[in-house]
Amino acid sequence: MDKQKSIEKYNKLDRGKLSKVFDKPPKTVEKKNQDKSQKKKPSSKKTNKFTQHLYIQGSKICLELNNKGFREIPEGVFEFPDLNCLFLVNNDIDRLPDSFIYLANLEALVLTGNNIHVINRHIFELPKLQVLDLSNNEISTISPEISGLQSLTQLLLNGNRLESLPYTIGDMSQLRVLGLNDNILTSLPDSIAKLEHLQILALERNMLEFLNPSVCKIESLRRLGLSGNKMSNLPHEIEGMVDLQQLLLDNNQFQFIPIQIFWLHELIELSFSGNKLTQIQPDIENMTKLKVLGLNHNQLTDLPHELMQLNQIEILALDNNCLRSLSEDIANLYCMKELDLGSNNLTELPDSISLCCNLEILSVVNNHLTKLPIELGTLQKLHTLLISQNEFTSIPVCVGALRVLQVLAAEDNQIEEVPETFAGLLFLKHFNLSVNRISSFPLAICKVTSLEVLDVSCNNLLSIPNEISDLQNLKVLNLKENLLVEIPPQLYSLSKLHGLDLSDNSLSYVPINVCEMTSLNELNLSNNKFFEFPKEVCGVPNLVTFKFDQRNGVKISSLPDEIGLLKVKELVVSHNTLRTLPKTISKMVNLTHLYADHNEIWILPDTFCQMQKLQLLHLNNNQLTSLPKDFDQLILMRDLRLYDNQLKVPPMDVCVSGVLQPIGLFLRKAFRREELLLERMFHSIKDDLTKSQLRALMKKLKVPEEHIMELETRFAGRDQLPERIIASLRHWKDYFGPMATIDELIRITHIISFDHVSSKLKTMKIFAQRLRL
């Protein structure tokens, strides 16, 4: 593939971040590595099939073979000596070959999401390698030889099984990024202090109980991630990390913020969520450059006045604490863009919050609020307001003044009305009013024509007004768990509606007009009062998911033949009284997920096995006694549930794993048993046939004459007749394959009146079946 075509192929892909990983290697390279760089993999005379996966990134030649299912790296990969970047993400590679010595120009090697246990030492000899990403593998140890990668700037080993690091890690002088998240490290070597260019050190979700003070000697460090460990304190040397900008200490065991942290004047982000903090020291006022402060999921009951002096803060997370009030001084945080006060004990908000004029996101979910300050309406940048799980009886009037509001979540309150001022929300796209006390659909909602997602589920609605047809931008409408007795005809004119939930109402029929909903691709009619399956939905042209689970509704006993017209990928008919599935279900050529559990299905039609796109099948809690003989042809099946049936063929203990493979294994074992039994039969009759009888049997079994003669020549003479009989019958089995069965052999011996042989074979078959029982 020429360079221009490679560039065209690359331009179609999203490779924006790759350019950041290529920096020039040091000018001096060890002589040993220079010698190795001269080695070249002998090129194949055939066209390399991986050429089509090459693309150009700037001046770099890259090869991407992600998600290909490789169990090892194909040798063809090593036929590109000029390759700079190699991506083999999400395969099943479990070893790295020595052939890496041929890729001396490699600068980036990304092998994330494989099954690698050991890093081949030849990778440590790649002189130009700058990026090595082996995240999400099974690596438990790192060889000290890794220090040979003197050009390496990024080493990513997240998601492995590392318990320790080699002491030589400190010799990798060019390293800037070291990713060790999600391992089982308990300590770090002192040599880590020698990484004088390291900027990012990721140690999140390990087993560290303390931080080696040597880390604090890395003056270049800008980001230190220690979340998800077992720390309760930090070494006092941390106060020397004066250039640190991000410090992540979430989900540890801190009961207080170590005093040394407050002297890190360059810190921009400090995250202490998920600890046991009961108070914040006044010394926090020293952190004047702080922009992100995470204090959520702690045990704070109040906040110090000094925190409110950090006027550079843009994101403040205080949710899931025990705060009872908020100081008027919050007005000092005028740069704040996001404030999360959810899950506290607040009964009111201070009026001064309206002076946080840059606020864009405000969450007060799960408190005890009954009102919002009227001044809140002056926040002209607020686009997301979350007031769910409080004690509001009406949407606060001030909300209508939030002119740029796009998301309003007000579910699980005691709201009975929506004020007329709500109609002024000209940019609102998402509105959640579920789990409230609305009995009459608010007309003010119908005037917010920008709405795309509307959730009014779990209310007391009896009807929907005609004005809902004005919501022409509506894409998702949730009317679940109301008191509707019919599908509102006004919905048919909502041309952009693609998701409609009408479950848990009192619907009993579906009008034919439903087929006019050409954009609808998800429909839920579960738990209603239908007396038969609403076949009208089979005419909805672009339906992808249809749910008809009647756990709490009127159950139906059959599906119509029209079900075959449905083009859905997902069909849910659980919790009914279905006794079988119609043969036409095989015409649902797009179906990948079928939920038919908790019915009374006792048999599946043979045509069911033609649904070869099926990936998920839930038939648990039915009355099945057998599966169709070709059931194992559902080769894409990934999730099969058959428990709580009365299966005998195959028996339930074969299906207990809940996936298709055990059934396939049973079938393979059954086939193997038949092979073994057939072989025993051959041996059992080797003394029962004369030469002429064997010839007659072979001719009746349709073995070609020339093959019969060849076997007679090979096993000539009376003494070799038993061997000839066995060899002839084996040849018949090999020649005819699956058609050469026990039943066929019994049938033919009976036809040609070899009654003694036929009777013996039948007896063996019956005895074998009894043994299996």
Side-chain angles (χ1 to χ4, degrees):
M1 182 168 63
D2 61 46
K3 183 175 181 180
Q4 183 58 39
K5 288 184 179 179
S6 295
I7 293 174
E8 289 174 357
K9 176 177 177 61
Y10 164 71
N11 286 338
K12 296 178 181 179
L13 303 172
D14 182 11
R15 310 279 185 227
K17 296 183 179 179
L18 282 177
S19 59
K20 297 180 181 179
V21 304
F22 303 114
D23 297 316
K24 292 183 179 179
K27 292 182 179 179
T28 58
V29 181
E30 291 183 14
K31 187 175 187 302
K32 180 178 72 171
N33 289 336
Q34 288 177 335
D35 293 339
K36 287 190 176 290
S37 69
Q38 305 303 315
K39 294 187 179 182
K40 291 187 177 181
K41 176 80 172 178
S43 60
S44 172
K45 294 182 179 180
K46 296 182 180 180
T47 302
N48 193 311
K49 63 181 179 179
F50 299 119
T51 303
Q52 60 181 325
H53 299 288
L54 290 172
Y55 63 89
I56 305 299
Q57 167 65 31
S59 61
K60 309 299 179 182
I61 301 173
C62 304
L63 176 61
E64 182 181 296
L65 296 171
N66 300 337
N67 301 293
K68 300 295 183 183
F70 293 132
R71 297 185 65 85
E72 60 183 26
I73 300 179
E75 276 299 308
V77 168
F78 303 103
E79 295 175 5
F80 300 106
D82 296 324
L83 193 66
N84 303 120
C85 320
L86 176 58
F87 299 88
L88 282 156
V89 177
N90 294 332
N91 285 284
D92 197 25
I93 298 166
D94 59 5
R95 70 176 189 88
L96 301 177
D98 294 345
S99 304
F100 272 101
I101 61 174
Y102 300 117
L103 299 182
N105 290 299
L106 203 62
E107 298 179 17
L109 176 58
V110 181
L111 292 163
T112 62
N114 282 284
N115 193 33
I116 299 165
H117 288 72
V118 178
I119 307 175
N120 189 303
R121 61 182 297 274
H122 289 293
I123 289 179
F124 304 146
E125 299 172 357
L126 295 173
K128 298 182 180 180
L129 196 65
Q130 297 178 42
V131 177
L132 178 58
D133 190 347
L134 289 163
S135 299
N136 300 318
N137 278 283
E138 301 293 328
I139 300 167
S140 57
T141 59
I142 302 293
S143 168
E145 294 179 88
I146 196 171
S147 61
L149 294 173
Q150 286 297 298
S151 297
L152 204 68
T153 61
Q154 298 186 37
L155 176 59
L156 303 176
L157 294 164
N158 304 308
N160 279 283
R161 298 184 177 182
L162 297 175
E163 297 182 19
S164 62
L165 298 177
Y167 187 84
T168 56
I169 195 79
D171 297 330
M172 304 177 73
S173 58
Q174 300 301 313
L175 209 58
R176 299 179 190 173
V177 178
L178 180 54
L180 297 165
N181 294 335
D182 298 290
N183 280 282
I184 48 178
L185 296 171
T186 57
S187 63
L188 301 172
D190 293 342
S191 63
I192 201 168
K194 296 164 61 178
L195 298 177
E196 58 183 20
H197 296 295
L198 195 65
Q199 296 180 6
I200 298 175
L201 178 56
L203 292 163
E204 299 177 51
R205 293 173 297 281
N206 277 279
M207 305 290 287
L208 298 172
E209 295 184 9
F210 65 92
L211 180 66
N212 189 327
S214 298
V215 173
C216 305
K217 297 177 182 179
I218 308 175
E219 296 180 0
S220 58
L221 209 60
R222 298 292 180 269
R223 177 185 174 93
L224 177 58
L226 294 167
S227 298
N229 281 282
K230 298 181 177 181
M231 296 183 175
S232 59
N233 210 334
L234 293 173
H236 66 85
E237 289 89 348
I238 199 169
E239 67 184 24
M241 303 181 74
V242 293
D243 292 322
L244 196 65
Q245 296 179 358
Q246 293 176 292
L247 179 57
L248 310 180
L249 293 162
D250 301 322
N251 301 312
N252 277 283
Q253 299 175 13
F254 290 95
Q255 296 183 2
F256 59 91
I257 298 178
I259 194 70
Q260 297 88 351
I261 289 179
F262 298 128
W263 301 105
L264 302 180
H265 295 163
E266 297 298 315
L267 213 58
I268 295 174
E269 178 178 356
L270 175 62
S271 187
F272 256 100
S273 65
N275 281 282
K276 302 176 182 179
L277 304 181
T278 57
Q279 63 177 352
I280 307 298
Q281 300 96 306
D283 304 79
I284 198 169
E285 65 181 351
N286 297 323
M287 309 181 77
T288 56
K289 294 186 178 180
L290 209 59
K291 292 185 177 181
V292 179
L293 179 57
L295 296 170
N296 42 315
H297 291 272
N298 278 286
Q299 300 168 20
L300 302 174
T301 55
D302 53 32
L303 302 173
H305 166 77
E306 290 77 8
L307 190 152
M308 300 303 174
Q309 305 306 312
L310 303 179
N311 56 23
Q312 296 300 308
I313 282 185
E314 296 181 2
I315 299 175
L316 179 57
L318 294 165
D319 54 294
N320 287 277
N321 277 285
C322 306
L323 299 175
R324 294 184 294 270
S325 63
L326 201 61
S327 169
E328 291 281 351
D329 291 340
I330 197 170
N332 296 328
L333 305 182
Y334 48 80
C335 290
M336 188 161 53
K337 296 179 179 180
E338 182 175 343
L339 175 60
D340 192 343
L341 295 165
S343 298
N344 279 284
N345 295 316
L346 300 174
T347 56
E348 62 180 0
L349 296 181
D351 295 346
S352 62
I353 198 171
S354 62
L355 298 177
C356 298
C357 55
N358 288 294
L359 204 59
E360 298 176 2
I361 300 174
L362 174 60
S363 173
V364 291
V365 171
N366 192 22
N367 279 282
H368 304 289
L369 302 174
T370 59
K371 63 180 181 178
L372 294 178
I374 192 68
E375 294 84 0
L376 199 70
T378 63
L379 296 176
Q380 292 304 300
K381 293 184 179 181
L382 195 69
H383 59 70
T384 301
L385 177 59
L386 311 178
I387 61 172
S388 309
Q389 295 174 272
N390 278 283
E391 299 172 13
F392 295 101
T393 58
S394 174
I395 296 292
V397 175
C398 64
V399 171
L402 298 171
R403 297 303 180 190
V404 300
L405 196 65
Q406 297 181 27
V407 177
L408 175 59
E411 72 269 21
D412 201 1
N413 278 282
Q414 301 171 27
I415 297 172
E416 298 179 355
E417 61 178 356
V418 175
E420 285 297 322
T421 56
F422 188 86
L425 298 176
L426 302 180
F427 296 97
L428 192 66
K429 293 182 178 180
H430 296 248
F431 182 33
N432 191 335
L433 193 59
S434 62
V435 196
N436 278 288
R437 299 179 179 181
I438 303 292
S439 58
S440 178
F441 195 96
L443 292 178
I445 294 177
C446 301
K447 296 178 182 179
V448 184
T449 57
S450 56
L451 271 177
E452 296 179 2
V453 178
L454 175 59
D455 189 345
V456 287
S457 60
C458 303
N459 278 285
N460 300 309
L461 295 173
L462 289 165
S463 62
I464 304 297
N466 293 332
E467 287 81 355
I468 199 172
S469 60
D470 294 335
L471 300 179
Q472 285 299 309
N473 289 303
L474 203 60
K475 296 179 181 179
V476 177
L477 176 59
N478 191 345
L479 293 167
K480 175 183 179 179
E481 203 168 326
N482 278 284
L483 304 173
L484 302 174
V485 295
E486 65 175 358
I487 298 179
Q490 303 88 339
L491 302 184
Y492 306 141
S493 63
L494 298 177
S495 59
K496 295 183 180 180
L497 196 67
H498 63 71
L500 177 60
D501 192 341
L502 287 161
S503 59
D504 295 275
N505 279 279
S506 298
L507 306 177
S508 58
Y509 74 99
V510 174
I512 192 63
N513 309 67
V514 73
C515 64
E516 299 173 9
M517 305 182 76
T518 56
S519 295
L520 195 65
N521 55 45
E522 183 171 345
L523 176 61
N524 191 345
L525 294 177
S526 302
N527 296 324
N528 276 285
K529 297 183 178 180
F530 295 98
F531 294 102
E532 61 180 17
F533 185 87
K535 61 182 69 175
E536 291 79 7
V537 302
C538 299
V540 181
N542 296 303
L543 206 58
V544 175
T545 299
F546 179 56
K547 297 180 180 180
F548 196 76
D549 183 323
Q550 295 295 93
R551 179 192 297 265
N552 299 314
V554 175
K555 304 180 187 301
I556 60 166
S557 58
S558 64
L559 297 177
D561 289 341
E562 288 85 349
I563 197 78
L565 301 175
L566 268 176
K567 299 178 181 179
V568 297
K569 292 183 178 180
E570 179 178 344
L571 175 63
V572 180
V573 289
S574 307
H575 295 96
N576 282 284
T577 55
L578 304 177
R579 301 209 64 202
T580 187
L581 299 174
K583 291 185 176 181
T584 54
I585 198 170
S586 62
K587 296 180 180 179
M588 299 179 67
V589 294
N590 297 323
L591 196 65
T592 61
H593 291 63
L594 174 58
Y595 300 83
D597 51 288
H598 293 86
N599 277 281
E600 299 174 6
I601 298 172
W602 66 279
I603 191 170
L604 295 174
D606 291 338
T607 57
F608 189 84
C609 301
Q610 298 171 15
M611 304 172 67
Q612 295 195 1
K613 285 189 178 181
L614 213 55
Q615 299 175 20
L616 178 149
L617 177 60
H618 288 189
L619 288 169
N620 48 292
N621 294 90
N622 277 282
Q623 298 178 17
L624 289 168
T625 58
S626 64
L627 297 177
K629 63 179 181 179
D630 296 325
F631 194 77
D632 62 334
Q633 291 183 6
L634 302 176
I635 57 175
L636 295 181
M637 189 71 65
R638 297 293 180 270
D639 186 353
L640 174 63
R641 301 187 186 182
L642 293 166
Y643 57 86
D644 288 333
N645 278 282
Q646 301 174 16
L647 282 166
K648 296 180 180 178
V649 183
M652 194 61 230
D653 58 351
V654 173
C655 306
V656 71
S657 64
V659 291
L660 189 64
Q661 283 80 353
I663 296 175
L665 181 61
F666 175 84
L667 294 173
R668 286 192 295 275
K669 285 184 175 179
F671 180 73
R672 178 61 180 158
R673 283 196 298 268
E674 183 158 324
E675 276 195 328
L676 292 172
L677 179 57
L678 201 56
E679 182 69 18
R680 291 194 187 101
M681 288 179 171
F682 295 165
H683 282 270
S684 74
I685 63 174
K686 71 181 187 335
D687 298 321
D688 294 339
L689 297 174
T690 65
K691 174 182 176 181
S692 59
Q693 288 176 327
L694 174 60
R695 170 170 273 275
L697 177 60
M698 289 297 101
K699 290 184 72 68
K700 198 65 178 177
L701 289 172
K702 299 182 180 180
V703 176
E705 176 65 24
E706 61 269 24
H707 294 187
I708 297 175
M709 293 178 63
E710 193 275 331
L711 287 163
E712 288 176 346
T713 301
R714 193 193 313 169
F715 299 95
R718 181 180 299 178
D719 292 343
Q720 294 196 67
L721 180 59
E723 287 78 8
R724 188 194 312 168
I725 292 172
I726 294 173
S728 297
L729 290 170
R730 285 175 179 169
H731 182 79
W732 163 70
K733 180 173 75 70
D734 294 339
Y735 188 80
F736 287 97
M739 292 184 292
T741 64
I742 292 172
D743 290 337
E744 178 68 3
L745 184 59
I746 293 173
R747 186 179 73 86
I748 294 299
T749 54
H750 176 70
I751 287 175
I752 59 179
S753 299
F754 292 173
D755 295 336
H756 174 66
V757 172
S758 177
S759 177
K760 179 185 283 191
L761 297 180
K762 286 180 182 178
T763 301
M764 292 181 70
K765 177 184 175 182
I766 292 170
F767 184 71
Q769 289 174 336
R770 286 178 178 174
L771 282 178
R772 288 200 294 273
L773 292 175

